[in-house]
Amino acid sequence: MRAELRRARKQRAYSHYYEEARKFSSLVSRKLEDAGLHDFVVVTGGGPGIMEAANRGAQDANSRSVGLNISLPHEQEPNPYVSHELCFQFRYFAIRKMHFLLRAKALVAFPGGYGTLDEVFEVLTLIQTGKIAPIPVVLVGRDYWAKAVNFDFLVEEEFIDADDITSFEIVDSGEEAIGVIQEFYGGNPPQ
């Protein structure tokens, strides 16, 4: 019972990220629609939690969103907020990540587990090695990211260069994330 209570408290503590992801997705979807960029949509893994929040935020803005779901033995089904015609099912993570990045204009990552960390580090590695053109990478949740990854330690130990930590920004809100993306693109929507 104590373990269940501890888990419930932890879920409650992180629940504000659901609302922040929903708000971010709704705001960015509205901005893109207002700019006439109807082909720019929010893309998530299509599952529950933060992914659901982002798809839901797009739906709140009457915008479409993509879900790149993956077949797993004990986890996710596509969430109900993914645009039906834009819900895709993958078997392999590598192919799924490739599709995430093919047309990505930004990566906004909220607190998550192995999948989130894998995707963040894949994008940072591809940017660092010049395999993809730089895109804004925004990590939402300063407290989470400070505990999850000690980037300063990686620089101090010379596992990454000091310049490598300039390829992402850490913020606390969806509005700040939008600001980082807008700044990256000079205030104009990405082309």
Side-chain angles (χ1 to χ4, degrees):
M1 189 178 284
R2 282 187 204 155
E4 286 179 31
L5 180 60
R6 189 169 41 252
R7 180 179 164 91
R9 286 184 176 145
K10 185 69 74 178
Q11 286 177 333
R12 183 174 175 217
Y14 279 101
S15 68
H16 76 280
Y17 289 116
Y18 183 98
E19 289 307 319
E20 208 54 54
R22 184 176 176 184
K23 183 168 68 173
F24 164 79
S25 184
S26 180
L27 288 169
V28 78
S29 294
R30 282 191 181 100
K31 284 182 180 293
L32 292 168
E33 287 290 323
D34 290 348
L37 300 170
H38 309 292
D39 290 338
F40 282 80
V41 294
V42 169
V43 180
T44 75
I50 296 295
M51 295 176 283
E52 174 186 295
N55 293 118
R56 187 175 180 184
Q59 188 179 78
D60 291 345
N62 295 316
S63 189
R64 299 175 305 152
S65 67
V66 176
L68 302 179
N69 209 275
I70 189 152
S71 301
L72 298 173
H74 60 278
E75 286 190 29
Q76 67 191 49
E77 293 294 320
N79 72 64
Y81 302 102
V82 172
S83 299
H84 180 71
E85 73 281 9
L86 298 174
C87 185
F88 301 96
Q89 195 73 22
F90 290 86
R91 184 172 181 180
Y92 300 106
F93 282 102
I95 301 299
R96 179 179 180 233
K97 282 192 290 188
M98 181 187 76
H99 280 277
F100 266 126
L101 285 174
L102 272 174
R103 294 165 201 88
K105 301 299 180 194
L107 169 66
V108 178
F110 286 80
Y114 285 147
T116 300
L117 295 171
D118 175 50
E119 290 159 6
V120 166
F121 282 110
E122 176 84 14
V123 170
L124 292 175
T125 300
L126 291 171
I127 292 169
Q128 177 198 48
T129 58
K131 299 295 183 184
I132 64 170
I135 61 172
V137 176
V138 186
L139 310 178
V140 180
R142 280 186 180 91
D143 291 341
Y144 168 83
W145 289 104
K147 291 177 183 174
V149 184
N150 188 337
F151 291 104
D152 293 331
F153 172 77
L154 295 175
V155 171
E156 288 169 16
E157 296 301 310
E158 299 181 359
F159 287 111
I160 61 174
D161 292 331
D163 286 349
D164 292 335
I165 61 173
T166 65
S167 57
F168 63 89
E169 298 261 350
I170 301 176
V171 301
D172 277 322
S173 71
E175 288 176 342
E176 287 176 283
I178 290 171
V180 169
I181 295 167
Q182 287 178 317
E183 184 179 321
F184 184 91
Y185 288 108
N188 300 312
Q191 300 300 313

